[in-house]
Amino acid sequence: MRPYLMISNRNREDDRLGSRLATMGFYTAPADADPGKLHTLSAWTRVARQAFIAQLKQIGTECPIVPEAEHENQKLLCLFVHGYNSDWEDTVGDYLL
């Protein structure tokens, strides 16, 4: 499993992200994190942009190109993008599905 990764430009409201624009933040949570706890912002660790990018690049190196006949075995990196019509709890819930 890979770590959970999140980028957000929403403000912080208590232990969640709010609905107002704020400075871009980069967050990670370990792969073995309890998904039930990822609905709280304190379950995530804020990291520097450069560290976040380095982690994405590392994950990308684990996704080699495979022959077409083996595509079902290919490793993937999926990005989940949402809009402001979703609140924090709904967005995290969709991400964890």
Side-chain angles (χ1 to χ4, degrees):
M1 286 195 40
R2 292 186 172 77
Y4 296 95
L5 302 171
M6 174 175 62
I7 301 172
S8 180
N9 64 347
R10 292 185 180 200
N11 65 307
R12 183 176 186 134
E13 292 179 358
D14 298 319
D15 201 19
R16 64 189 300 274
L17 292 173
S19 59
R20 293 189 316 268
L21 288 176
T23 303
M24 189 74 69
F26 301 86
Y27 302 86
T28 65
D32 63 352
D34 177 355
K37 294 183 180 179
L38 292 176
H39 290 273
T40 60
L41 195 54
S42 59
W44 297 81
T45 301
R46 189 166 182 156
V47 297
R49 179 179 187 266
Q50 296 80 2
F52 189 91
I53 291 170
Q55 195 167 18
L56 276 176
K57 286 181 178 180
Q58 176 58 40
I59 292 170
T61 65
E62 299 168 6
C63 301
I65 297 173
V66 298
E68 189 170 336
E70 298 176 26
H71 276 189
E72 289 184 15
N73 298 323
Q74 187 170 11
K75 296 181 180 183
L76 303 171
L77 173 65
C78 296
L79 300 175
F80 174 76
V81 179
H82 71 89
Y84 277 96
N85 56 344
S86 301
D87 66 13
W88 164 251
E89 288 81 10
D90 288 342
T91 301
V92 172
D94 289 344
Y95 176 53
L96 297 174
L97 286 178

